[in-house]
Amino acid sequence: MKHMSWQEAEVRELKVGRYMLIDDSPCKIAEITMSKPGKHGEAKARIVAIGVFDGQKRSVVFPVKHKVKVPIIEKKNAQVLSKANNEIQLMDSETFETFLVQVTPEEVDRIQPGTEVSYWETMGVRKIMLQN
């Protein structure tokens, strides 16, 4: 269930701390290194980013005028209804929609029914964002 929740941006417009899609995964940009243009080429950017949903480090190299996809991330709140195994049942605070979100065993222990949590939604995927 992938949604078209992204827009395009040129590589030279990207900044550390912003987000981009790498292999259709939303990633937070950790570092950007620009190279000088060669004799016949154009400047290139090396981007290192961390996956929002999987925590994986990815790096890509693109010409600075290359267009990349930037995910539109919706930040929302929900009430925790219940938890079982590694699934948390949430109810959106605005739409009252109920849905399940997968979490890690460490996150299950930190989430209590009846509390409110923040979650991000993009590309048809939802993730609870816990404060450290």
Side-chain angles (χ1 to χ4, degrees):
M1 157 178 148
K2 295 260 183 191
H3 297 293
M4 296 296 282
S5 51
W6 52 268
Q7 57 198 25
E8 283 194 342
E10 282 190 12
V11 170
R12 62 187 170 84
E13 300 169 330
L14 300 175
K15 293 183 173 31
V16 170
R18 299 273 180 86
Y19 299 87
M20 68 179 290
L21 292 179
I22 300 176
D23 302 328
D24 282 335
S25 283
C27 299
K28 185 173 186 173
I29 299 170
E31 81 185 58
I32 300 174
T33 314
M34 298 283 186
S35 71
K36 301 234 180 297
K39 192 171 178 180
H40 300 289
E42 57 180 309
K44 291 199 171 22
R46 179 175 182 273
I47 301 166
V48 176
I50 310 296
V52 172
F53 297 123
D54 61 12
Q56 279 193 326
K57 189 175 187 177
R58 297 172 171 85
S59 65
V60 290
V61 176
F62 290 122
V64 293
K65 291 185 179 161
H66 182 79
K67 290 214 183 294
V68 294
K69 294 176 185 170
V70 176
I72 298 167
I73 299 174
E74 293 185 65
K75 298 173 182 178
K76 303 178 180 182
N77 293 318
Q79 183 175 355
V80 178
L81 297 179
S82 65
K83 62 181 185 176
N85 303 325
N86 291 348
E87 279 191 332
I88 305 291
Q89 185 180 24
L90 298 176
M91 179 175 67
D92 186 280
S93 299
E94 287 182 25
T95 65
F96 304 111
E97 172 194 4
T98 59
F99 53 91
L100 294 173
V101 175
Q102 297 288 326
V103 293
T104 65
E106 299 79 44
E107 291 173 322
V108 168
D109 296 339
R110 294 178 54 196
I111 299 170
Q112 297 307 319
T115 60
E116 190 165 283
V117 293
S118 296
Y119 73 95
W120 289 7
E121 182 174 8
T122 186
M123 308 294 291
V125 180
R126 295 175 173 137
K127 177 175 174 58
I128 294 175
M129 304 308 284
L130 294 173
Q131 307 299 322
N132 290 337

